[in-house]
Amino acid sequence: MQHVDPKPLSLAIMLAFAGPALADKQLSEITVSSGKTVGAKPVLRDEIIATESLGARELEKTGATMLTEALDKRPGISVQTECSICNVRNVVLNNLPGRYTTLLIDSIPIFSSVSTAYGLDSVSLGGVERIDISRGAGTSLIAPEALAGSVNMVTRRPTKDEFIGVQQFGSYGHINTDLFGAKVFQGGALTANFNHNGHDSVDADGNKVSEYTGFKRNLGGIGFFLDDVGGFSIKGRLDIVDEKRMGGAMGDDYAKVKADQSGNPFLWSKGKNGSPSNAGWVTVDGFDSDGSGFIGDHPDDVAAGGIRNYDDGLGGMSEIIFTDRQQFISSATHKLGDGSLRFAVGLAKHKQDSYYEHAIYKAEQTQYYLEASTQQPIGATLVTGGVTYRYEDLKSKGAMADGTPNDGIDDYKYKTPGLFLQAYHAFLDGVVEVNGSVRYDDHNIFGGITSPRFNVLWNHSHELNSRFAVGRGFRAPTSFFEQDHGILDTSRIVRDIDKAEISDNASYALSYAGDRLAWVSSLNYNKIKNMAMIDSGATDPVSGAPITLFTSAKKPVTVIGGDITLTYKLTPTLETTVAAERFSYRFSEPGTLAFARPETRAYLRLDYESGPWTGMIRGTWTGPMDLKKFYDYANTPRYNFDGTRKMDKSPDYWTIDLRGEYRLDKRWSLFLGVDNLTDFKQSDKESMLWVDGAGNYDVTQIWGPNRGRFVYGGVKLAL
Amino acid sequence: MRRLALILSLLAQTSTALATDPPSVAKAALDFELSDGHRFVTLASLPAQPTVINFWRADCPPCVREMPELAALARAGRVRVITVALQRPAETAAAPAAIQAALQPPLLSLHGPGEPRGLLARFGNRAGALPHTVILDTDRRACAQHTGEINRRWLAEALATCGKT
């Protein structure tokens, strides 16, 4: 029988053998309880300090079929759609831009730029034990580029043979198949997972332009766990992604849409504030088709208030993206002295073959991640030190809408060796825990960058604790892609960026964890300097061809927020959660915070569990958004197709989701759910499409749900 | 008789190696308010009796291994045995049939809160490691505890130690 001293430091030293992702890992005869739900105690000895954690059960209860669905509608965490026809989605932490959220799998960062855009929908939830969310730049020693925070998916080491199959069907032709199998053998385990997910495109306002992008996605992966290979405990997984999505034109006949380059197949008069004509839309200021400076000197010119006809066919309003990705990650840990030694490797190849409104963009991204680190007790201090090497490049080929090649316009190659050192110490018999760390990275473009962080956890009592964190992160702007997801109809990009984006973050959290009541409240301060910006409307002063300026903001952007979450067990079978968040945004340069976000959100949730029944109902209230400011109406007024002005403020709205599950026996379960029960969708109030004064259209007037009521149901088999 | 002597001998030989952890929890009476699936149960409302409290999860192998031992102890009737699952009922319901059988009365099977940090810390387990077992005397004060797998010998010794206090 093992004899274990329960003091935190000695446990920490033992647990260090399991590597940085500690919770719920078997370690000899000890299993560490994750227990990281609402009000979780941060584990300061970790390289990634989770501020929230979602277990597999919680993921299942929400009915999520992909990562972006799993993370949405939580205080301080949301998913933002940034394009109404391609539905690029970002995971937004503390309401900062999604590109500042770094996704890690088993603590290995292997997503960036292109893969962060469409790749996040293609992250399988199969075999995931939990998802740790770390809000704040100071929370991740591994990923300094996570200026808003990181999302770490932790895979589960099976302890028995198992098979889990889930078959789900839903509205809009939705079909989702999840298969997960595990085979345990002496000293290890193998896993395999497969996911097929499909969804038709959705056009709620009847103009034949989708608001919800249709997709077909196949994911496959295998994982391995070897408990002792020459003293090393090794785990790893290989994942393959194949996704096709198309928005704008309805259906999935990709070739037909690409080939259709003229005429008007759409109904521009349909929908809220639709045009008086199906042929096109009102051009408030008139359209100077030849750029002569005069309206009326060319047959294609449109007088102020006239109708600008659409003649670009299905393809001109459609975005088609094929994603092909392979990734491999692995880590190995070994006992070293009284501590541990860890090696980690990550490789990813991400290909994107895309068609953006006649323009072509084909990108290939390669990423490597290498890490060697050790965690050692030195006296009463637990010290972690390590070196990392990160490599990523992007190579693209493309053509403007008129066919002009623009190969390699956003190519880049970043090489970043780095080293880090962290010390953890518990004072006063664990009442106060302190973690200080610093990392230094030598970026091949932006030079040496030092990013420190400091965390203090004060356990006021067994139930109540405070956490204070300050930290700095840095990020090298990558491709213009992350700023404006669609390929720009541009001849070249002028990169005028010589400084990395820098984030300074401070946060304080007070949390209480009682037997029936738990609450956590936090305050977050984030200041981003040198925020990368895109100006896609520039023209070459010599040739007059459209060019894109990639620059840095001159003034910092500050986002300050607070949130509180309270969970109370009303009865043995019924639990309620009430939460609210409030954010303020300080920015002055258009294009920094380029998408609208609310100042206030509130959340209500009830969870029921009794015998074979499990149920969840949640309501999410989203407050008004200052569309006028975020969408920079001052410089670019936005209009509906009928020539009326776009809303200055979005209305507040509720969305209600519910899901119920009945367990037939130990193996079989049935479930039924409804997302957006009240069928609230933005298109009922305002189209996501907009035009400027000259009648140039875009697809980014986004503030509300892009899909109405969604009903789904299915069956689960667990062996 | 020889068998008993052998057991006593083994116990004596291993007593130093298997010493119970000193209780790090407060000397005050401990309490909780947890669900048995139908009602909330508080320790204070239960009749005064030495009590073994075991914190566990169905996906924790050592937790599952030691469960039959706890069930046997509960059936012996000398002490009250309470298990606190740090999972939702649907998750523990997926445990093997042998575990479900072990969780039947007289053992009292409860479920912990979704965020068990405070509960675990109160019962001397700030690090949140499982399995974790605490023995309370009749005044609900912790007199022995252990983080990690326990066995019959540990229980016997710990209960004996608690009986002397």
Side-chain angles (χ1 to χ4, degrees), chain A residues 3 33 66 69 90 99 147 244 255 260 277 283 329 332 391 430 444-445 452 479 589 595 598 610 639 657 675:
Chain A
H3 184 83
S33 165
M66 51 189 172
E69 290 176 348
N90 278 313
R99 66 180 186 277
L147 302 190
K244 293 179 172 62
D260 190 332
S277 165
T283 304
I329 60 159
Y391 172 92
N444 64 317
I445 304 295
S479 159
E589 292 173 78
F595 285 87
S610 178
Y639 300 96
D657 309 324
D675 283 352

Side-chain angles (χ1 to χ4, degrees), chain A residues 1-4 11 26 29 31 33 35 37-41 57 429 462-463 465 511 513 515-516 571-572 609 663 666, chain B residues 18-19 21 32-33 35 40 61-62 65 90-91 93 95 113-115 117-118 121-122 126-130 146-147 149:
Chain A
M1 185 177 73
Q2 298 240 344
H3 184 83
V4 181
L11 261 177
Q26 291 175 62
E29 302 294 27
T31 293
S33 165
T37 52
V38 175
K41 173 186 176 180
R57 180 73 180 154
D429 197 24
H462 293 316
E463 290 80 17
N465 71 38
S511 65
D515 293 349
R516 291 177 66 180
T571 72
E609 187 165 346
R663 206 168 56 246
K666 279 197 164 188
Chain B
L18 297 176
D21 300 329
F32 56 54
E33 185 180 16
S35 164
F40 288 111
R65 280 200 299 269
E91 293 171 296
E115 169 42 67
R117 163 174 58 89
R122 208 181 322 140
R126 277 205 298 253
L130 294 182
H146 186 77
T147 305
E149 188 173 352

Side-chain angles (χ1 to χ4, degrees), chain A residues 406-596:
Chain A
N406 55 8
D407 294 350
I409 53 172
D410 63 340
D411 287 4
Y412 71 88
K413 185 181 289 184
Y414 288 164
K415 300 172 185 174
T416 318
L419 53 90
F420 60 86
L421 186 66
Q422 171 178 284
Y424 162 84
H425 194 101
F427 297 93
L428 304 173
D429 197 24
V431 171
V432 176
E433 298 173 56
V434 177
N435 169 320
S437 68
V438 63
R439 67 171 293 142
Y440 177 80
D441 291 273
D442 183 20
H443 196 277
N444 64 317
I445 304 295
F446 296 100
I449 301 172
T450 303
S451 40
R453 68 171 185 168
F454 182 73
N455 288 267
V456 177
L457 180 69
W458 182 6
N459 297 296
H460 306 294
S461 69
H462 293 316
E463 290 80 17
L464 187 69
N465 71 38
S466 289
R467 174 177 172 262
F468 176 71
V470 291
R472 165 169 283 196
F474 80 94
R475 183 174 179 281
T478 54
S479 159
F480 75 90
F481 190 93
E482 62 190 288
Q483 286 280 323
D484 194 328
H485 65 280
I487 181 69
L488 304 167
D489 195 16
T490 195
S491 60
R492 64 189 175 92
I493 295 175
V494 177
R495 285 180 75 101
D496 187 17
I497 290 182
D498 56 6
K499 291 176 185 167
E501 297 175 289
I502 301 285
S503 167
D504 291 318
N505 164 261
S507 63
Y508 171 77
L510 181 67
S511 65
Y512 174 85
D515 293 349
R516 291 177 66 180
L517 172 69
W519 53 262
V520 60
S521 58
S522 68
L523 296 169
N524 296 285
Y525 172 89
N526 303 278
K527 185 176 185 179
I528 314 270
K529 289 182 276 191
N530 315 320
M531 188 179 270
M533 298 193 306
I534 283 284
D535 177 4
S536 56
T539 52
D540 189 313
V542 178
S543 67
I547 60 170
T548 296
L549 298 177
F550 197 17
T551 59
S552 298
K554 293 183 173 49
K555 295 177 184 171
V557 173
T558 304
V559 177
I560 302 170
D563 55 76
I564 182 165
T565 302
L566 185 149
T567 300
Y568 184 69
K569 212 163 181 59
L570 296 165
T571 72
T573 57
L574 191 63
E575 185 176 271
T576 184
T577 301
V578 180
E581 65 180 42
R582 174 89 181 170
F583 280 85
S584 78
Y585 311 94
R586 297 176 189 168
F587 65 104
S588 56
E589 292 173 78
T592 46
L593 292 180
F595 285 87

Side-chain angles (χ1 to χ4, degrees), chain B residues 40-129:
Chain B
F40 288 111
V41 175
T42 60
L43 264 179
S45 66
L46 300 174
Q49 188 182 5
T51 303
V52 176
I53 302 176
N54 174 261
F55 298 90
W56 73 290
R57 285 173 61 105
D59 56 359
C60 154
C63 303
V64 171
R65 280 200 299 269
E66 67 188 14
M67 196 59 74
E69 207 60 60
L70 291 162
L73 182 65
R75 284 195 299 273
R78 286 198 305 127
V79 296
R80 177 190 298 119
V81 178
I82 299 175
T83 59
V84 179
L86 300 180
Q87 282 177 305
R88 294 181 183 277
E91 293 171 296
T92 50
I99 301 306
Q100 300 299 339
L103 293 171
Q104 299 305 310
L107 184 148
L108 179 56
S109 172
L110 305 177
H111 281 86
E115 169 42 67
R117 163 174 58 89
L119 175 69
L120 284 169
R122 208 181 322 140
F123 283 81
N125 184 3
R126 277 205 298 253

Side-chain angles (χ1 to χ4, degrees), chain A residues 5-127:
Chain A
D5 185 334
K7 287 183 179 176
L9 182 61
S10 52
L11 261 177
I13 294 166
M14 292 172 61
L15 298 170
F17 304 153
L22 296 170
D24 282 338
K25 296 289 183 299
Q26 291 175 62
L27 175 74
S28 182
E29 302 294 27
I30 301 283
T31 293
V32 181
S33 165
S34 66
K36 292 176 179 175
T37 52
V38 175
K41 173 186 176 180
V43 184
L44 293 196
R45 59 182 175 268
D46 291 0
E47 294 168 13
I48 300 168
I49 299 173
T51 54
E52 285 90 9
S53 190
L54 312 175
R57 180 73 180 154
E58 166 64 14
L59 299 178
E60 187 177 10
K61 283 174 71 176
T62 62
T65 60
M66 51 189 172
L67 176 71
T68 43
E69 290 176 348
L71 295 175
D72 201 10
K73 299 174 183 173
R74 301 174 188 280
I77 309 163
S78 60
V79 173
Q80 187 164 51
T81 302
E82 297 188 351
C83 164
S84 72
I85 61 174
C86 76
N87 282 188
V88 61
R89 274 184 275 262
N90 278 313
V91 176
V92 173
L93 300 181
N94 287 339
N95 278 354
L96 288 164
R99 66 180 186 277
Y100 297 154
T101 301
T102 295
L103 177 65
L104 305 99
I105 298 179
D106 286 333
S107 303
I108 296 172
I110 204 70
F111 287 81
S112 178
S113 65
V114 173
S115 52
T116 303
Y118 300 106
L120 296 188
D121 285 342
S122 302
V123 177
S124 170
L125 297 175

